[in-house]
Amino acid sequence: NNNIDMNSATSIGYSFSNGSDITIDDIGGGGSSSAEIQTPVPTYVPITPAIRTKLDYVKDYVVSRQISTELDLSSDGSPQAKAALFMAEDDGYPVPDQNSFYNETLLWMERYVIVVFYYSTAGDSWIFDYNFLTPDTSICAWGRTLVRPSGYYREGIGCTREGRVMDITLERNNLMGTLPGELGFLSEVKYLSIVQNFLMGKIPARMKYWRKLIFLDARINSIEGKLPSWIDNWSVLRIMAFSGNKLTGTLPSGMNSLTELQQLFLDDNILEGSLENIENCKKLISLYLEDNAFTQKVDSNFLPNLNVLRRLDVSDNELYGDVPVHLFSGGNLDVFDIHGNSVTSFPDTIPKGNSTVGFIALQFNPLRGKFPINTISNLKKLDHLDLTSTSMIGTMPRELGSLSKLEYLFLADTSFTPGPIPDEFEKLTDLQDLSLKHASRIGNIPSQIDALKQIILLDLDNNDLSGTIPAVIGNMTRLNFLMLHRNKFKGTVPMELGNLKRMKYLFLDHNDLTGDINTICTAIPQISRATSDCAAPSYEINCTCCAVCCDDIEENTECSLHSENDFLALLEPQWTENYNRIDYSDFFPQYIYEFLDLNITR
């Protein structure tokens, strides 16, 4: 397999050169729900003179082979001291001597290293012990093989045909402590996955001897320090993932030697500097660097050689400049997320009929000038466009109505010339989210708005929309979130809104609406939060299910809080690893007040 992809919706299969097959299904998934048989904790007896002699021999041997230091071995309670005692007292594997075969010597030393790893990561607190520390049993049996639709999946230790450690998979298993330097002795390791544990400390320097490593996934730990300067030793590495750690410093120059790298995940760390040291990683398919402090000018020299790139997320950094067209010229890019930076323009020369780009997130950038109609409207596969809080001027582009694949369109808090909601938006029949919050929209809601049959969230908050609320909104039966507050709507609230049986949030306050909406309350008993102008002294609306009642004359504290806070769904929604919206049932229960940075795009 030449392309390895970490998307959670796919499985990863790779056949190693020695013939053993390993299939990693759902790379972010961690352990299995199957019941695990826990290995009994060995019962230790007092150290006899014979065991003391063997223990000294073990220590002398691992020091002579430069596996552990004498200082570590002499420290009471250290992982090395515990491992040496295990090898001397509880293990039937003899300490190598001059008569031992070479392979027997290697297997004994790797056994010791794995025991050090167990104690260094608080193995007695693991969720599953995977038969670790079973006496008189090969470490290749310290694990389990699961059968999944994609094939076999190994957890714990996996070995080559010769019994050497080839992969270590201990995901979501409550590993604590640090990675011991002794791991560097495992020179056959090709695969390490320690996702979502509690590991701390730096990347051990002796891991530079892992020259056969092709897959390293250490996401969601607390690993700190800099990426090592010797990282070019991992020259065959194809996937490296350190998302959600505490890495600092700049990208080392040696990363330009990782010419086989296909997936790089360094998001949610504290990295800084430029991206110049990954420009030579020409096989990169996925590059995730969001939520760091990278600083670089975005221009024609920005990542110029990544022609097979499919997913690029550099959001929430300190990039500046103008998005260059070459990023879209390789014919492969699907996801482009640069939101939360300081870029000022987007190219207007992307060829017509682009068939790859599906996700563009430009929100929270000081984009200026007119909307790049000749670019965006040519992206026929586009299903997600977010321009929230950008500064582009001109009319709200009607041409967006030609993007028939759009499912998510966010134009909230934009600077377009005041005007009506474009009628052409009625053609976007696949839309699930439409946010035009604070977008200077005037006039009536389009009479054919119910053409948006798939819509789940319709946000028209804080505009100058007027007229009556169209009764046809009651035909949009997938609606969960209807936000019409802070406008100039008049008349009565249409009772047809009671047809919206999935409705969870209905905001009608700060309008000139009148009437009784208790019928709607009764028709939608599961509604989580409703608001209207039902407060004294005006009592414009009669509403017994409204969580917040407002009044145009006397604003109460609760209503002010509701009005002044933005709702999560209006700004930066949360996305799953394949860039689809989360299940709306996963929204915060009850109140979803205030903008929260929950961007976890993958």
Side-chain angles (χ1 to χ4, degrees):
N1 297 325
N2 294 322
N3 294 326
I4 303 178
D5 195 342
M6 279 188 64
N7 283 341
S8 64
T10 63
S11 62
I12 299 174
Y14 189 75
S15 181
F16 291 101
S17 59
N18 65 8
S20 60
D21 292 330
I22 290 188
T23 301
I24 308 305
D25 185 29
D26 187 6
I27 190 60
S32 166
S33 59
S34 304
E36 177 67 22
I37 300 176
Q38 296 290 326
T39 303
V41 177
T43 301
Y44 294 105
V45 296
I47 299 177
T48 64
I51 294 297
R52 173 62 63 187
T53 299
K54 189 178 178 183
L55 177 60
D56 291 340
Y57 188 20
V58 169
K59 292 182 177 181
D60 290 343
Y61 188 81
V62 295
V63 170
S64 68
R65 300 305 296 261
Q66 299 182 349
I67 305 174
S68 295
T69 66
E70 186 172 356
L71 178 61
D72 286 336
L73 287 162
S74 62
S75 300
D76 290 339
S78 70
Q80 294 79 7
K82 290 180 179 180
L85 182 60
F86 173 83
M87 300 296 286
E89 186 177 50
D90 297 300
D91 206 26
Y93 282 70
V95 182
D97 56 25
Q98 65 272 17
N99 297 318
S100 300
F101 290 108
Y102 177 70
N103 193 56
E104 292 176 341
T105 301
L106 290 177
L107 296 183
W108 187 93
M109 290 189 291
E110 291 199 351
R111 186 179 186 82
Y112 166 77
V113 169
I114 290 299
V115 177
V116 172
F117 171 76
Y118 174 87
Y119 285 119
S120 185
T121 58
D124 54 351
S125 297
W126 291 358
I127 297 173
F128 298 140
D129 68 9
Y130 296 110
N131 300 317
F132 271 58
L133 303 196
T134 302
D136 304 318
T137 304
S138 167
I139 59 174
C140 299
W142 294 2
R144 63 180 177 180
T145 301
L146 305 176
V147 179
R148 294 185 174 177
S150 57
Y152 294 102
Y153 177 72
R154 184 69 178 172
E155 294 178 340
I157 301 297
C159 295
T160 67
R161 289 176 176 175
E162 294 77 24
R164 304 284 302 279
V165 176
M166 183 176 67
D167 61 88
I168 303 171
T169 301
L170 292 165
E171 300 173 348
R172 295 175 172 87
N173 203 41
N174 202 40
L175 275 66
M176 297 180 284
T178 61
L179 296 175
E182 283 82 357
L183 287 175
F185 187 82
L186 306 177
S187 58
E188 293 293 319
V189 170
K190 295 181 179 180
Y191 183 97
L192 174 67
S193 185
I194 46 176
V195 176
Q196 200 166 337
N197 285 290
F198 301 94
L199 295 170
M200 302 180 294
K202 298 180 180 180
I203 301 170
R206 284 200 282 175
M207 282 178 65
K208 65 184 176 182
Y209 299 117
W210 284 15
R211 297 180 183 274
K212 296 183 180 182
L213 187 65
I214 64 169
F215 192 110
L216 192 164
D217 192 353
R219 289 174 293 158
I220 315 178
N221 282 282
S222 296
I223 297 171
E224 58 189 26
K226 298 181 178 181
L227 288 169
S229 59
W230 45 260
I231 201 167
D232 54 326
N233 283 18
W234 294 342
S235 59
V236 297
L237 191 64
R238 296 191 181 184
I239 292 180
M240 180 166 69
F242 281 102
S243 306
N245 280 280
K246 299 179 180 180
L247 296 175
T248 57
T250 60
L251 300 181
S253 59
M255 292 192 69
N256 262 327
S257 298
L258 304 182
T259 55
E260 298 298 318
L261 196 62
Q262 297 175 13
Q263 313 280 338
L264 179 59
F265 298 79
L266 297 176
D267 49 289
D268 297 279
N269 281 283
I270 321 170
L271 296 165
E272 58 186 2
S274 77
L275 309 183
E276 295 175 353
N277 286 333
I278 57 173
E279 291 179 354
N280 200 41
C281 301
K282 298 180 181 180
K283 293 186 179 181
L284 273 175
I285 296 172
S286 298
L287 178 58
Y288 292 92
L289 304 174
E290 71 266 25
D291 292 303
N292 280 286
F294 290 114
T295 304
Q296 184 174 341
K297 184 176 183 180
V298 180
D299 57 16
S300 59
N301 295 315
F302 181 75
L303 303 177
N305 303 316
L306 307 186
N307 295 324
V308 298
L309 198 63
R310 297 178 191 170
R311 290 167 289 274
L312 175 62
D313 191 342
V314 289
S315 58
D316 290 318
N317 280 284
E318 299 174 12
L319 305 176
Y320 60 96
D322 305 315
V323 176
V325 68
H326 74 260
L327 293 175
F328 302 87
S329 299
N332 295 292
L333 193 67
D334 176 19
V335 171
F336 180 74
D337 191 344
I338 199 170
H339 82 263
N341 283 281
S342 297
V343 298
T344 53
S345 72
F346 193 78
D348 58 3
T349 54
I350 294 178
K352 291 184 177 180
N354 185 288
S355 60
T356 62
V357 179
F359 186 107
I360 293 180
L362 302 172
Q363 66 268 31
F364 307 113
N365 277 291
L367 295 174
R368 60 194 181 200
K370 293 187 176 181
F371 183 85
I373 293 175
N374 294 328
T375 292
I376 302 296
S377 60
N378 289 334
L379 303 178
K380 299 304 181 183
K381 187 187 173 184
L382 196 66
D383 61 26
H384 175 113
L385 177 63
D386 196 335
L387 298 174
T388 300
S389 295
T390 54
S391 303
M392 285 184 287
I393 59 175
T395 58
M396 184 171 286
R398 299 177 179 272
E399 291 80 1
L400 292 178
S402 67
L403 299 178
S404 60
K405 302 292 184 181
L406 267 181
E407 296 181 13
Y408 308 102
L409 178 59
F410 302 93
L411 302 176
D413 194 27
T414 47
S415 300
F416 294 118
T417 302
I421 299 171
D423 291 336
E424 287 78 1
F425 285 8
E426 297 170 359
K427 301 176 184 178
L428 301 176
T429 54
D430 286 342
L431 267 186
Q432 296 184 41
D433 285 21
L434 175 61
S435 179
L436 301 178
K437 166 189 171 66
H438 193 219
S440 301
R441 296 303 90 195
I442 61 176
N444 297 338
I445 295 177
S447 60
Q448 303 299 317
I449 189 71
D450 61 328
L452 306 181
K453 299 294 186 183
Q454 303 302 314
I455 201 147
I456 297 174
L457 182 147
L458 178 61
D459 169 27
L460 303 178
D461 167 39
N462 199 7
N463 285 286
D464 286 313
L465 294 168
S466 56
T468 59
I469 297 175
V472 295
I473 289 181
N475 299 329
M476 303 164 72
T477 55
R478 295 194 72 210
L479 264 175
N480 282 227
F481 307 90
L482 180 59
M483 300 166 180
L484 303 178
H485 52 312
R486 294 188 291 188
N487 279 286
K488 298 178 179 179
F489 293 119
K490 296 183 178 180
T492 59
V493 179
M495 292 300 101
E496 287 81 356
L497 295 187
N499 297 331
L500 305 177
K501 303 302 183 182
R502 301 183 184 182
M503 185 67 67
K504 296 178 181 177
Y505 299 94
L506 175 63
F507 299 152
L508 302 172
D509 57 277
H510 292 86
N511 283 289
D512 292 320
L513 298 167
T514 59
D516 189 321
I517 64 173
N518 287 321
T519 302
I520 297 174
C521 296
T522 302
I524 316 175
Q526 80 283 5
I527 195 166
S528 299
R529 186 174 179 85
T531 66
S532 69
D533 294 329
C534 50
S538 300
Y539 295 112
E540 295 177 352
I541 295 287
N542 184 15
C543 177
T544 57
C545 67
C546 286
V548 174
C549 282
C550 301
D551 185 85
D552 294 335
I553 299 175
E554 296 182 9
E555 190 81 316
N556 58 59
T557 301
E558 188 176 18
C559 192
S560 297
L561 177 66
H562 167 75
S563 300
E564 293 171 3
N565 282 277
D566 292 322
F567 278 72
L568 173 66
L570 316 184
L571 292 174
E572 190 176 15
Q574 188 174 4
W575 304 96
T576 60
E577 293 192 354
N578 58 358
Y579 283 89
N580 287 326
R581 176 73 112 133
I582 60 171
D583 185 343
Y584 290 84
S585 64
D586 289 340
F587 268 34
F588 294 112
Q590 299 180 354
Y591 311 140
I592 49 175
Y593 272 139
E594 298 184 5
F595 164 62
L596 299 174
D597 184 3
L598 289 178
N599 176 56
I600 57 166
T601 45
R602 285 286 180 279

